[in-house]
mmCIF file of all heavy atoms in Angstrom:
data_model
loop_
_atom_site.group_PDB
_atom_site.id
_atom_site.type_symbol
_atom_site.label_atom_id
_atom_site.label_comp_id
_atom_site.label_asym_id
_atom_site.label_seq_id
_atom_site.Cartn_x
_atom_site.Cartn_y
_atom_site.Cartn_z
ATOM 1 N N MET A 200 86.978 275.867 116.068
ATOM 2 C CA MET A 200 87.556 274.531 116.149
ATOM 3 C C MET A 200 88.173 274.165 114.804
ATOM 4 O O MET A 200 87.540 274.325 113.763
ATOM 5 C CB MET A 200 86.481 273.511 116.529
ATOM 6 C CG MET A 200 87.000 272.079 116.615
ATOM 7 S SD MET A 200 85.725 270.893 117.106
ATOM 8 C CE MET A 200 84.674 270.934 115.654
ATOM 9 N N VAL A 202 89.336 271.528 112.021
ATOM 10 C CA VAL A 202 88.873 270.203 111.640
ATOM 11 C C VAL A 202 89.712 269.669 110.488
ATOM 12 O O VAL A 202 90.414 270.399 109.804
ATOM 13 C CB VAL A 202 87.382 270.237 111.213
ATOM 14 C CG1 VAL A 202 86.497 270.615 112.387
ATOM 15 C CG2 VAL A 202 87.184 271.217 110.062
ATOM 16 N N GLY A 203 89.621 268.348 110.282
ATOM 17 C CA GLY A 203 90.290 267.718 109.159
ATOM 18 C C GLY A 203 91.691 267.224 109.506
ATOM 19 O O GLY A 203 92.384 267.806 110.337
ATOM 20 N N VAL A 261 88.921 272.649 95.042
ATOM 21 C CA VAL A 261 89.512 272.353 96.353
ATOM 22 C C VAL A 261 91.027 272.480 96.290
ATOM 23 O O VAL A 261 91.655 273.114 97.149
ATOM 24 C CB VAL A 261 89.094 270.952 96.845
ATOM 25 C CG1 VAL A 261 89.870 270.590 98.113
ATOM 26 C CG2 VAL A 261 87.601 270.908 97.133
ATOM 27 N N ALA A 264 91.960 276.246 95.844
ATOM 28 C CA ALA A 264 91.759 277.017 97.073
ATOM 29 C C ALA A 264 92.869 276.739 98.074
ATOM 30 O O ALA A 264 93.381 277.660 98.731
ATOM 31 C CB ALA A 264 90.394 276.690 97.676
ATOM 32 N N LEU A 265 93.268 275.493 98.192
ATOM 33 C CA LEU A 265 94.359 275.148 99.102
ATOM 34 C C LEU A 265 95.680 275.723 98.621
ATOM 35 O O LEU A 265 96.516 276.142 99.427
ATOM 36 C CB LEU A 265 94.452 273.631 99.252
ATOM 37 C CG LEU A 265 93.395 273.016 100.171
ATOM 38 C CD1 LEU A 265 93.256 271.521 99.923
ATOM 39 C CD2 LEU A 265 93.741 273.293 101.633
ATOM 40 N N ARG A 274 94.209 284.451 102.806
ATOM 41 C CA ARG A 274 93.166 283.732 103.545
ATOM 42 C C ARG A 274 92.048 283.422 102.563
ATOM 43 O O ARG A 274 91.562 284.308 101.871
ATOM 44 C CB ARG A 274 92.634 284.553 104.718
ATOM 45 C CG ARG A 274 93.659 284.805 105.820
ATOM 46 C CD ARG A 274 92.983 285.354 107.060
ATOM 47 N NE ARG A 274 92.152 284.345 107.704
ATOM 48 C CZ ARG A 274 90.888 284.536 108.068
ATOM 49 N NH1 ARG A 274 90.280 285.682 107.812
ATOM 50 N NH2 ARG A 274 90.198 283.575 108.666
ATOM 51 N N VAL A 275 91.651 282.156 102.520
ATOM 52 C CA VAL A 275 90.694 281.691 101.519
ATOM 53 C C VAL A 275 89.536 280.976 102.205
ATOM 54 O O VAL A 275 89.742 280.177 103.128
ATOM 55 C CB VAL A 275 91.364 280.720 100.519
ATOM 56 C CG1 VAL A 275 90.358 280.250 99.478
ATOM 57 C CG2 VAL A 275 92.545 281.391 99.841
ATOM 58 N N LEU A 276 88.318 281.269 101.738
ATOM 59 C CA LEU A 276 87.137 280.542 102.176
ATOM 60 C C LEU A 276 86.585 279.767 100.994
ATOM 61 O O LEU A 276 86.323 280.334 99.935
ATOM 62 C CB LEU A 276 86.068 281.507 102.701
ATOM 63 C CG LEU A 276 84.759 280.852 103.153
ATOM 64 C CD1 LEU A 276 84.992 279.988 104.398
ATOM 65 C CD2 LEU A 276 83.684 281.905 103.430
ATOM 66 N N LEU A 277 86.405 278.463 101.169
ATOM 67 C CA LEU A 277 85.797 277.615 100.149
ATOM 68 C C LEU A 277 84.372 277.296 100.571
ATOM 69 O O LEU A 277 84.145 276.757 101.662
ATOM 70 C CB LEU A 277 86.598 276.326 99.979
ATOM 71 C CG LEU A 277 85.992 275.270 99.054
ATOM 72 C CD1 LEU A 277 85.842 275.803 97.632
ATOM 73 C CD2 LEU A 277 86.829 273.995 99.068
ATOM 74 N N VAL A 278 83.413 277.631 99.720
ATOM 75 C CA VAL A 278 81.992 277.425 100.009
ATOM 76 C C VAL A 278 81.434 276.383 99.050
ATOM 77 O O VAL A 278 81.534 276.547 97.829
ATOM 78 C CB VAL A 278 81.200 278.746 99.863
ATOM 79 C CG1 VAL A 278 79.719 278.511 100.174
ATOM 80 C CG2 VAL A 278 81.784 279.825 100.755
ATOM 81 N N ASP A 279 80.860 275.318 99.597
ATOM 82 C CA ASP A 279 80.205 274.330 98.736
ATOM 83 C C ASP A 279 78.793 274.822 98.441
ATOM 84 O O ASP A 279 77.891 274.735 99.275
ATOM 85 C CB ASP A 279 80.153 272.964 99.424
ATOM 86 C CG ASP A 279 79.760 271.853 98.452
ATOM 87 O OD1 ASP A 279 79.224 272.187 97.375
ATOM 88 O OD2 ASP A 279 79.983 270.673 98.769
ATOM 89 N N ARG A 286 80.163 267.813 97.117
ATOM 90 C CA ARG A 286 81.309 266.903 97.184
ATOM 91 C C ARG A 286 82.386 267.358 98.160
ATOM 92 O O ARG A 286 83.228 266.576 98.580
ATOM 93 C CB ARG A 286 81.968 266.798 95.792
ATOM 94 C CG ARG A 286 81.091 266.207 94.723
ATOM 95 C CD ARG A 286 81.453 264.816 94.258
ATOM 96 N NE ARG A 286 82.704 264.263 94.685
ATOM 97 C CZ ARG A 286 83.802 264.176 93.932
ATOM 98 N NH1 ARG A 286 83.811 264.683 92.707
ATOM 99 N NH2 ARG A 286 84.876 263.596 94.401
ATOM 100 N N VAL A 287 82.391 268.647 98.499
ATOM 101 C CA VAL A 287 83.500 269.196 99.276
ATOM 102 C C VAL A 287 83.639 268.490 100.621
ATOM 103 O O VAL A 287 84.748 268.131 101.040
ATOM 104 C CB VAL A 287 83.326 270.717 99.476
ATOM 105 C CG1 VAL A 287 84.325 271.246 100.501
ATOM 106 C CG2 VAL A 287 83.501 271.445 98.148
ATOM 107 N N HIS A 288 82.536 268.277 101.321
ATOM 108 C CA HIS A 288 82.636 267.655 102.656
ATOM 109 C C HIS A 288 83.182 266.240 102.559
ATOM 110 O O HIS A 288 83.910 265.788 103.444
ATOM 111 C CB HIS A 288 81.277 267.674 103.361
ATOM 112 C CG HIS A 288 80.246 266.774 102.762
ATOM 113 N ND1 HIS A 288 79.567 267.083 101.602
ATOM 114 C CD2 HIS A 288 79.780 265.552 103.158
ATOM 115 C CE1 HIS A 288 78.726 266.108 101.316
ATOM 116 N NE2 HIS A 288 78.832 265.174 102.231
ATOM 117 N N THR A 289 82.854 265.530 101.464
ATOM 118 C CA THR A 289 83.356 264.168 101.286
ATOM 119 C C THR A 289 84.856 264.178 101.021
ATOM 120 O O THR A 289 85.614 263.400 101.623
ATOM 121 C CB THR A 289 82.625 263.483 100.118
ATOM 122 O OG1 THR A 289 81.225 263.456 100.396
ATOM 123 C CG2 THR A 289 83.130 262.060 99.922
ATOM 124 N N LEU A 291 87.074 266.395 101.826
ATOM 125 C CA LEU A 291 87.861 266.870 102.970
ATOM 126 C C LEU A 291 87.510 266.143 104.263
ATOM 127 O O LEU A 291 88.040 266.477 105.320
ATOM 128 C CB LEU A 291 87.648 268.381 103.141
ATOM 129 C CG LEU A 291 88.121 269.243 101.969
ATOM 130 C CD1 LEU A 291 87.821 270.715 102.234
ATOM 131 C CD2 LEU A 291 89.613 269.046 101.702
ATOM 132 N N ALA A 292 86.618 265.128 104.171
ATOM 133 C CA ALA A 292 86.215 264.312 105.322
ATOM 134 C C ALA A 292 85.679 265.175 106.453
ATOM 135 O O ALA A 292 86.107 265.077 107.605
ATOM 136 C CB ALA A 292 87.380 263.448 105.795
ATOM 137 N N LEU A 293 84.706 266.031 106.122
ATOM 138 C CA LEU A 293 84.094 266.932 107.084
ATOM 139 C C LEU A 293 82.619 266.592 107.248
ATOM 140 O O LEU A 293 82.000 266.018 106.342
ATOM 141 C CB LEU A 293 84.219 268.389 106.610
ATOM 142 C CG LEU A 293 85.631 268.923 106.385
ATOM 143 C CD1 LEU A 293 85.556 270.340 105.825
ATOM 144 C CD2 LEU A 293 86.422 268.888 107.676
ATOM 145 N N PRO A 294 82.011 266.952 108.380
ATOM 146 C CA PRO A 294 80.566 266.788 108.507
ATOM 147 C C PRO A 294 79.846 267.623 107.446
ATOM 148 O O PRO A 294 80.311 268.703 107.080
ATOM 149 C CB PRO A 294 80.271 267.325 109.919
ATOM 150 C CG PRO A 294 81.589 267.315 110.629
ATOM 151 C CD PRO A 294 82.635 267.536 109.582
ATOM 152 N N GLN A 295 78.705 267.124 106.966
ATOM 153 C CA GLN A 295 77.980 267.838 105.928
ATOM 154 C C GLN A 295 77.335 269.126 106.453
ATOM 155 O O GLN A 295 77.143 270.081 105.709
ATOM 156 C CB GLN A 295 76.902 266.939 105.319
ATOM 157 C CG GLN A 295 76.157 267.581 104.154
ATOM 158 C CD GLN A 295 75.297 266.606 103.392
ATOM 159 O OE1 GLN A 295 75.606 265.419 103.331
ATOM 160 N NE2 GLN A 295 74.213 267.084 102.806
ATOM 161 N N PRO A 297 76.437 271.770 110.257
ATOM 162 C CA PRO A 297 75.663 272.819 109.594
ATOM 163 C C PRO A 297 76.487 273.492 108.493
ATOM 164 O O PRO A 297 77.694 273.584 108.581
ATOM 165 C CB PRO A 297 75.330 273.797 110.718
ATOM 166 C CG PRO A 297 76.434 273.613 111.712
ATOM 167 C CD PRO A 297 76.801 272.159 111.640
ATOM 168 N N GLY A 298 75.758 273.935 107.451
ATOM 169 C CA GLY A 298 76.458 274.507 106.313
ATOM 170 C C GLY A 298 75.659 275.580 105.615
ATOM 171 O O GLY A 298 74.770 276.203 106.208
ATOM 172 N N LEU A 299 75.956 275.775 104.339
ATOM 173 C CA LEU A 299 75.379 276.878 103.593
ATOM 174 C C LEU A 299 73.851 276.812 103.545
ATOM 175 O O LEU A 299 73.174 277.822 103.737
ATOM 176 C CB LEU A 299 75.937 276.882 102.162
ATOM 177 C CG LEU A 299 75.428 277.999 101.253
ATOM 178 C CD1 LEU A 299 75.865 279.370 101.764
ATOM 179 C CD2 LEU A 299 75.920 277.792 99.814
ATOM 180 N N THR A 309 76.297 282.846 110.262
ATOM 181 C CA THR A 309 77.559 282.739 109.523
ATOM 182 C C THR A 309 78.680 282.185 110.396
ATOM 183 O O THR A 309 79.546 281.454 109.911
ATOM 184 C CB THR A 309 77.976 284.110 108.963
ATOM 185 O OG1 THR A 309 77.956 285.078 110.028
ATOM 186 C CG2 THR A 309 77.024 284.563 107.865
ATOM 187 N N GLY A 310 78.670 282.523 111.674
ATOM 188 C CA GLY A 310 79.715 282.025 112.559
ATOM 189 C C GLY A 310 79.621 280.539 112.829
ATOM 190 O O GLY A 310 80.619 279.909 113.203
ATOM 191 N N GLN A 311 78.452 279.956 112.625
ATOM 192 C CA GLN A 311 78.251 278.535 112.903
ATOM 193 C C GLN A 311 78.610 277.645 111.724
ATOM 194 O O GLN A 311 78.832 276.441 111.901
ATOM 195 C CB GLN A 311 76.791 278.283 113.298
ATOM 196 C CG GLN A 311 76.380 278.947 114.593
ATOM 197 C CD GLN A 311 74.878 278.825 114.820
ATOM 198 O OE1 GLN A 311 74.077 279.494 114.183
ATOM 199 N NE2 GLN A 311 74.507 277.929 115.717
ATOM 200 N N VAL A 312 78.649 278.197 110.527
ATOM 201 C CA VAL A 312 78.849 277.354 109.344
ATOM 202 C C VAL A 312 80.281 277.360 108.825
ATOM 203 O O VAL A 312 80.643 276.521 107.996
ATOM 204 C CB VAL A 312 77.879 277.760 108.205
ATOM 205 C CG1 VAL A 312 76.438 277.605 108.664
ATOM 206 C CG2 VAL A 312 78.144 279.175 107.704
ATOM 207 N N VAL A 313 81.107 278.277 109.294
ATOM 208 C CA VAL A 313 82.494 278.348 108.825
ATOM 209 C C VAL A 313 83.370 277.455 109.698
ATOM 210 O O VAL A 313 83.397 277.599 110.922
ATOM 211 C CB VAL A 313 83.019 279.798 108.849
ATOM 212 C CG1 VAL A 313 84.497 279.831 108.458
ATOM 213 C CG2 VAL A 313 82.204 280.679 107.905
ATOM 214 N N ARG A 314 84.096 276.551 109.053
ATOM 215 C CA ARG A 314 85.002 275.657 109.772
ATOM 216 C C ARG A 314 86.447 275.996 109.412
ATOM 217 O O ARG A 314 86.774 276.153 108.240
ATOM 218 C CB ARG A 314 84.731 274.194 109.404
ATOM 219 C CG ARG A 314 83.397 273.670 109.880
ATOM 220 C CD ARG A 314 83.260 272.193 109.516
ATOM 221 N NE ARG A 314 82.063 271.608 110.088
ATOM 222 C CZ ARG A 314 80.870 271.631 109.505
ATOM 223 N NH1 ARG A 314 80.747 272.210 108.321
ATOM 224 N NH2 ARG A 314 79.832 271.076 110.077
ATOM 225 N N SER A 315 87.305 276.033 110.397
ATOM 226 C CA SER A 315 88.739 276.235 110.173
ATOM 227 C C SER A 315 89.386 274.883 109.900
ATOM 228 O O SER A 315 89.366 273.998 110.761
ATOM 229 C CB SER A 315 89.389 276.901 111.390
ATOM 230 O OG SER A 315 88.849 278.185 111.595
ATOM 231 N N PHE A 316 89.941 274.721 108.711
ATOM 232 C CA PHE A 316 90.597 273.472 108.332
ATOM 233 C C PHE A 316 92.004 273.452 108.911
ATOM 234 O O PHE A 316 92.540 274.478 109.329
ATOM 235 C CB PHE A 316 90.631 273.386 106.805
ATOM 236 C CG PHE A 316 90.828 272.003 106.260
ATOM 237 C CD1 PHE A 316 89.912 271.011 106.510
ATOM 238 C CD2 PHE A 316 91.936 271.705 105.491
ATOM 239 C CE1 PHE A 316 90.084 269.738 105.986
ATOM 240 C CE2 PHE A 316 92.122 270.448 104.957
ATOM 241 C CZ PHE A 316 91.187 269.458 105.213
ATOM 242 N N PHE A 317 92.634 272.265 108.918
ATOM 243 C CA PHE A 317 93.965 272.190 109.514
ATOM 244 C C PHE A 317 95.010 272.949 108.705
ATOM 245 O O PHE A 317 96.052 273.329 109.227
ATOM 246 C CB PHE A 317 94.399 270.735 109.720
ATOM 247 C CG PHE A 317 94.752 269.991 108.465
ATOM 248 C CD1 PHE A 317 96.046 270.042 107.947
ATOM 249 C CD2 PHE A 317 93.806 269.229 107.800
ATOM 250 C CE1 PHE A 317 96.379 269.358 106.802
ATOM 251 C CE2 PHE A 317 94.132 268.547 106.652
ATOM 252 C CZ PHE A 317 95.417 268.604 106.137
ATOM 253 N N GLN A 318 94.760 273.177 107.409
ATOM 254 C CA GLN A 318 95.644 274.014 106.597
ATOM 255 C C GLN A 318 95.429 275.467 106.984
ATOM 256 O O GLN A 318 94.344 276.004 106.827
ATOM 257 C CB GLN A 318 95.353 273.819 105.115
ATOM 258 C CG GLN A 318 96.023 274.841 104.198
ATOM 259 C CD GLN A 318 97.537 274.750 104.183
ATOM 260 O OE1 GLN A 318 98.074 273.692 103.894
ATOM 261 N NE2 GLN A 318 98.211 275.828 104.490
ATOM 262 N N GLY A 320 94.991 279.299 107.032
ATOM 263 C CA GLY A 320 94.535 280.232 106.023
ATOM 264 C C GLY A 320 93.399 279.710 105.157
ATOM 265 O O GLY A 320 92.950 280.395 104.237
ATOM 266 N N PHE A 321 92.926 278.503 105.450
ATOM 267 C CA PHE A 321 91.901 277.854 104.632
ATOM 268 C C PHE A 321 90.709 277.478 105.493
ATOM 269 O O PHE A 321 90.818 276.662 106.409
ATOM 270 C CB PHE A 321 92.490 276.601 103.981
ATOM 271 C CG PHE A 321 91.515 275.810 103.145
ATOM 272 C CD1 PHE A 321 91.105 276.270 101.906
ATOM 273 C CD2 PHE A 321 91.033 274.589 103.588
ATOM 274 C CE1 PHE A 321 90.230 275.525 101.126
ATOM 275 C CE2 PHE A 321 90.155 273.840 102.816
ATOM 276 C CZ PHE A 321 89.755 274.318 101.589
ATOM 277 N N ASP A 322 89.560 278.102 105.239
ATOM 278 C CA ASP A 322 88.315 277.784 105.936
ATOM 279 C C ASP A 322 87.307 277.229 104.948
ATOM 280 O O ASP A 322 87.394 277.471 103.735
ATOM 281 C CB ASP A 322 87.744 279.021 106.635
ATOM 282 C CG ASP A 322 88.619 279.490 107.797
ATOM 283 O OD1 ASP A 322 89.516 278.735 108.231
ATOM 284 O OD2 ASP A 322 88.418 280.628 108.265
ATOM 285 N N VAL A 323 86.322 276.497 105.475
ATOM 286 C CA VAL A 323 85.372 275.782 104.627
ATOM 287 C C VAL A 323 83.946 275.984 105.131
ATOM 288 O O VAL A 323 83.699 275.971 106.339
ATOM 289 C CB VAL A 323 85.682 274.268 104.599
ATOM 290 C CG1 VAL A 323 84.746 273.543 103.637
ATOM 291 C CG2 VAL A 323 87.129 274.016 104.226
ATOM 292 N N VAL A 324 83.021 276.156 104.184
ATOM 293 C CA VAL A 324 81.589 276.083 104.472
ATOM 294 C C VAL A 324 81.048 274.902 103.676
ATOM 295 O O VAL A 324 81.077 274.924 102.437
ATOM 296 C CB VAL A 324 80.848 277.376 104.076
ATOM 297 C CG1 VAL A 324 79.338 277.212 104.300
ATOM 298 C CG2 VAL A 324 81.370 278.568 104.869
ATOM 299 N N THR A 325 80.601 273.858 104.364
ATOM 300 C CA THR A 325 80.031 272.703 103.680
ATOM 301 C C THR A 325 78.588 273.009 103.275
ATOM 302 O O THR A 325 78.073 274.101 103.532
ATOM 303 C CB THR A 325 80.087 271.463 104.575
ATOM 304 O OG1 THR A 325 79.451 271.765 105.830
ATOM 305 C CG2 THR A 325 81.542 271.063 104.837
ATOM 306 N N VAL A 326 77.911 272.032 102.677
ATOM 307 C CA VAL A 326 76.610 272.322 102.084
ATOM 308 C C VAL A 326 75.475 272.344 103.098
ATOM 309 O O VAL A 326 74.503 273.075 102.941
ATOM 310 C CB VAL A 326 76.310 271.317 100.948
ATOM 311 C CG1 VAL A 326 75.914 269.964 101.494
ATOM 312 C CG2 VAL A 326 75.250 271.853 100.001
ATOM 313 N N TRP A 349 81.865 287.801 104.083
ATOM 314 C CA TRP A 349 83.046 286.970 103.882
ATOM 315 C C TRP A 349 84.086 287.665 103.004
ATOM 316 O O TRP A 349 85.288 287.450 103.180
ATOM 317 C CB TRP A 349 82.631 285.631 103.273
ATOM 318 C CG TRP A 349 81.864 284.766 104.238
ATOM 319 C CD1 TRP A 349 81.969 284.783 105.605
ATOM 320 C CD2 TRP A 349 80.879 283.774 103.926
ATOM 321 N NE1 TRP A 349 81.112 283.860 106.157
ATOM 322 C CE2 TRP A 349 80.428 283.222 105.160
ATOM 323 C CE3 TRP A 349 80.329 283.301 102.734
ATOM 324 C CZ2 TRP A 349 79.455 282.223 105.218
ATOM 325 C CZ3 TRP A 349 79.368 282.291 102.794
ATOM 326 C CH2 TRP A 349 78.938 281.769 104.019
ATOM 327 N N TYR A 353 88.094 287.643 104.042
ATOM 328 C CA TYR A 353 89.016 286.771 103.306
ATOM 329 C C TYR A 353 89.563 287.482 102.070
ATOM 330 O O TYR A 353 88.913 288.370 101.513
ATOM 331 C CB TYR A 353 88.307 285.475 102.879
ATOM 332 C CG TYR A 353 87.876 284.618 104.045
ATOM 333 C CD1 TYR A 353 86.625 284.807 104.637
ATOM 334 C CD2 TYR A 353 88.715 283.649 104.566
ATOM 335 C CE1 TYR A 353 86.229 284.043 105.716
ATOM 336 C CE2 TYR A 353 88.333 282.868 105.639
ATOM 337 C CZ TYR A 353 87.083 283.064 106.220
ATOM 338 O OH TYR A 353 86.694 282.307 107.294
ATOM 339 N N PHE A 357 85.925 281.259 97.238
ATOM 340 C CA PHE A 357 85.692 280.375 96.092
ATOM 341 C C PHE A 357 84.426 279.566 96.348
ATOM 342 O O PHE A 357 84.259 278.982 97.425
ATOM 343 C CB PHE A 357 86.864 279.418 95.888
ATOM 344 C CG PHE A 357 88.119 280.084 95.387
ATOM 345 C CD1 PHE A 357 89.348 279.460 95.528
ATOM 346 C CD2 PHE A 357 88.082 281.326 94.778
ATOM 347 C CE1 PHE A 357 90.519 280.056 95.067
ATOM 348 C CE2 PHE A 357 89.236 281.938 94.313
ATOM 349 C CZ PHE A 357 90.456 281.295 94.457
#
Side-chain angles (χ1 to χ4, degrees):
M200 179 179 68
V202 295
V261 172
L265 283 161
R274 294 192 69 230
V275 180
L276 178 67
L277 173 61
V278 180
D279 192 343
R286 297 252 350 257
V287 169
H288 69 283
T289 301
L291 297 178
L293 301 176
Q295 184 169 331
L299 180 64
T309 52
Q311 295 172 286
V312 300
V313 176
R314 293 183 173 87
S315 297
F316 200 62
F317 72 87
Q318 169 66 56
F321 178 74
D322 292 346
V323 184
V324 176
T325 54
V326 76
W349 290 332
Y353 295 89
F357 290 161

